Amino acid sequence: MKNIKVDRFLKKYDKMVPVYNEMIEVIQEIFENEIENREYRLQSIDFRIKTKGSLSKKIHDKGRKYQRLSDITDVVGVRVVTFMEDQVDIAAEKIKEFFVIDEKNTIDKRKALDPRSFGYMSLHYVVSFPLEEKYKKFKGIRFEIQIRSLLQHTWATIEHDLGYKSRIGIPDELIRSFSRVASLLELADKEFVNIKQDLIKYEEKVHDSMKMGKNMPSDSPLNNITIRYFMENNVILNNLFRETLAELNLKEEVREEAPVEIIKLLNYFKLKRIGDLETILQTKKREIIFVTNKIVQETGENVIEKRGIFYSMAYVLLGGEPLSEKLKFLEMFKILTDDERKGMAEMMEKYHLEYKNKSKKPTKYSLKNIIFRNKKGAK
């Protein structure tokens, strides 16, 4: 009798596979357009249709529970992985806003877990499409959405690989080991959230200071947050940039800044504080403008971004360094081929020597100097 039921379900499944495939395409489109956006990105989204073998086993194991194929709510499944634990609830809210939730079959396994047992659970929604004409084809079909953080997903993947889905029959010492690992992952998840919140507070603090017209103190650290505000508001940098535009008759090109690349450059030269960077920009100002002029002449460009000042500064700082140091810098930034890097390094050296020779003060040969040197040579 049971085999007849399985055959009936599987025949229905075969007919429904094209519908399930179309469902997945529609669900994917909904996630791209409705659930995710520029401000909120998911780590990954996986879609799957239960295989015949898996479906057959489920009917065998829990056959009495199901009277028709539509009673099985996870034939189509979606796994949503967020970057951090606090984003699980954000994703859940977005999903609830769009899909119809089957509250009876939805389980928040994070709360259902026995606190004395091991495990690291996720949120499972059983949902269906909204009652709109364009989703009429999928009426009556429910599917499952699992939502978990990246570390929760890591735990679940390893647990599945080890084959331990229950504590029954597992030695106590292994249960304790599982519990320790689960607690460490849970703690790590929460600490990442705390770090993220602290970063947000720090950025807000820097932003508020700038809005109030306060300059960042010279001992402020240079990082991905402060460099953005430095590039927007620092008087020394802005004056240097405006002077460069005026002297070289260049136009400003405005693009979104890449603070990570700038910080990487500054770290290479061990510039850790705002004051360190300001000192370099002030003391090397004329050479930075000179090098910028050489670069735009070489490239034929008549526009420059503000970040270009930092790359000119790198040329200046590397100009008198050995060839190996220049190549090391260029390789770190994955610039050009080996031959092109060598050519660029030689160009740095050339600009450095040109500026050095240009800056030399001419020697004054007065009659007094000539007589003094002749007397010195006659001794």
Side-chain angles (χ1 to χ4, degrees):
M1 188 71 180
K2 203 169 188 180
N3 289 335
I4 295 173
K5 186 175 186 178
V6 170
D7 290 342
R8 178 165 56 86
F9 274 49
L10 293 182
K11 283 179 182 178
K12 178 67 174 175
Y13 168 88
D14 287 337
K15 290 181 181 178
M16 290 297 294
V17 165
V19 178
Y20 294 147
N21 282 320
E22 189 175 345
M23 265 183 71
I24 283 179
E25 289 180 11
V26 173
I27 296 167
Q28 189 170 3
E29 188 177 320
I30 289 168
F31 267 88
E32 288 173 356
N33 298 330
E34 305 292 338
I35 310 299
E36 286 193 287
N37 53 48
R38 283 188 65 185
E39 289 74 36
Y40 180 75
R41 306 301 298 173
L42 297 167
Q43 198 277 332
S44 64
I45 313 169
D46 294 318
F47 307 88
R48 66 108 182 97
I49 299 172
K50 194 179 281 293
T51 63
K52 262 188 172 182
S54 179
L55 180 62
S56 179
K57 184 177 183 304
K58 184 158 192 167
I59 299 165
H60 273 299
D61 294 344
K62 300 178 180 179
R64 293 181 182 178
K65 185 179 176 182
Y66 308 118
Q67 299 303 313
R68 59 188 69 83
L69 183 62
S70 58
D71 292 338
I72 302 175
T73 59
D74 65 343
V75 177
V76 173
V78 181
R79 178 177 293 126
V80 175
V81 179
T82 67
F83 287 96
M84 296 187 192
E85 183 190 31
D86 64 332
Q87 295 169 328
V88 170
D89 288 323
I90 297 173
E93 285 303 313
K94 289 178 175 288
I95 287 165
K96 284 168 69 175
E97 286 172 8
F98 190 87
F99 294 104
V100 179
I101 307 298
D102 180 350
E103 299 288 354
K104 183 180 176 182
N105 290 295
T106 290
I107 304 172
D108 189 344
K109 292 190 175 182
R110 300 170 300 173
K111 297 174 183 176
L113 184 66
D114 183 342
R116 295 168 298 175
S117 65
F118 65 84
Y120 201 11
M121 300 301 188
S122 52
L123 175 58
H124 290 217
Y125 276 152
V126 174
V127 306
S128 54
F129 284 93
L131 297 175
E132 296 178 23
E133 184 64 27
K134 58 183 174 180
Y135 304 124
K136 187 177 179 181
K137 186 182 292 188
F138 312 126
K139 185 177 179 181
I141 305 175
R142 292 172 293 173
F143 60 96
E144 184 177 271
I145 302 178
Q146 297 178 3
I147 317 168
R148 55 175 63 140
S149 73
L150 182 56
L151 287 180
Q152 288 170 341
H153 181 58
T154 301
W155 166 263
T157 304
I158 293 172
E159 183 188 45
H160 183 270
D161 185 59
L162 291 173
Y164 294 124
K165 299 296 282 183
S166 167
R167 64 185 294 162
I168 299 170
I170 298 176
D172 288 346
E173 61 270 21
L174 291 182
I175 291 175
R176 284 193 293 272
S177 295
F178 266 98
S179 296
R180 281 197 301 271
V181 175
S183 63
L184 285 171
L185 285 173
E186 188 173 352
L187 179 63
D189 232 343
K190 292 185 184 303
E191 283 303 308
F192 278 127
V193 172
N194 290 337
I195 291 168
K196 183 181 75 173
Q197 293 301 326
D198 288 343
L199 281 171
I200 291 170
K201 289 177 185 176
Y202 176 69
E203 186 166 9
E204 287 173 350
K205 182 181 175 182
V206 173
H207 182 65
D208 289 343
S209 295
M210 300 308 299
K211 275 188 4 183
M212 292 169 64
K214 295 180 181 178
N215 283 324
M216 286 180 286
S218 60
D219 63 347
S220 298
L222 284 165
N223 53 48
N224 293 342
I225 293 169
T226 58
I227 193 63
R228 186 181 291 113
Y229 293 103
F230 182 91
M231 293 181 75
E232 289 175 8
N233 302 285
N234 186 265
V235 174
I236 293 170
L237 174 64
N238 286 338
N239 286 344
L240 172 55
F241 185 58
R242 280 196 294 269
E243 197 169 333
T244 303
L245 293 175
E247 279 194 33
L248 307 183
N249 195 28
L250 299 174
K251 294 178 182 177
E252 180 181 2
E253 184 176 13
V254 180
R255 285 198 299 175
E256 188 176 345
E257 301 298 349
V260 174
E261 284 299 306
I262 300 299
I263 287 297
K264 187 177 176 184
L265 182 151
L266 298 177
N267 283 341
Y268 184 86
F269 295 108
K270 298 182 172 55
L271 299 173
K272 301 294 184 184
R273 303 282 168 183
I274 295 288
D276 300 335
L277 179 54
E278 287 179 329
T279 299
I280 294 292
L281 294 175
Q282 284 178 311
T283 58
K284 302 290 185 181
K285 171 183 168 181
R286 295 313 314 168
E287 190 171 357
I288 289 171
I289 294 175
F290 176 85
V291 166
T292 303
N293 186 37
K294 290 291 181 181
I295 292 171
V296 296
Q297 285 178 2
E298 191 77 31
T299 59
E301 296 285 346
N302 67 338
V303 296
I304 183 176
E305 300 172 68
K306 193 181 286 186
R307 79 174 85 175
I309 295 294
F310 293 101
Y311 296 118
S312 294
M313 183 188 77
Y315 267 58
V316 169
L317 295 177
L318 287 164
E321 295 295 323
L323 178 64
S324 59
E325 192 66 26
K326 296 182 181 73
L327 293 175
K328 179 182 170 185
F329 173 83
L330 294 171
E331 189 175 355
M332 184 184 79
F333 280 87
K334 312 242 183 286
I335 295 174
L336 313 174
T337 65
D338 289 344
D339 287 341
E340 288 170 325
R341 279 197 291 271
K342 188 177 178 184
M344 187 175 282
E346 289 169 350
M347 198 179 294
M348 289 180 185
E349 179 74 18
K350 177 186 170 187
Y351 295 164
H352 171 71
L353 292 174
E354 282 184 24
Y355 182 78
K356 192 175 176 182
N357 293 330
K358 172 181 174 293
S359 303
K360 278 184 179 178
K361 292 182 179 179
T363 306
K364 292 182 180 179
Y365 293 100
S366 66
L367 183 60
K368 184 179 178 182
N369 286 338
I370 294 170
I371 292 170
F372 176 77
R373 283 198 332 204
N374 286 340
K375 283 183 178 179
K376 190 174 180 182
K379 286 180 181 179

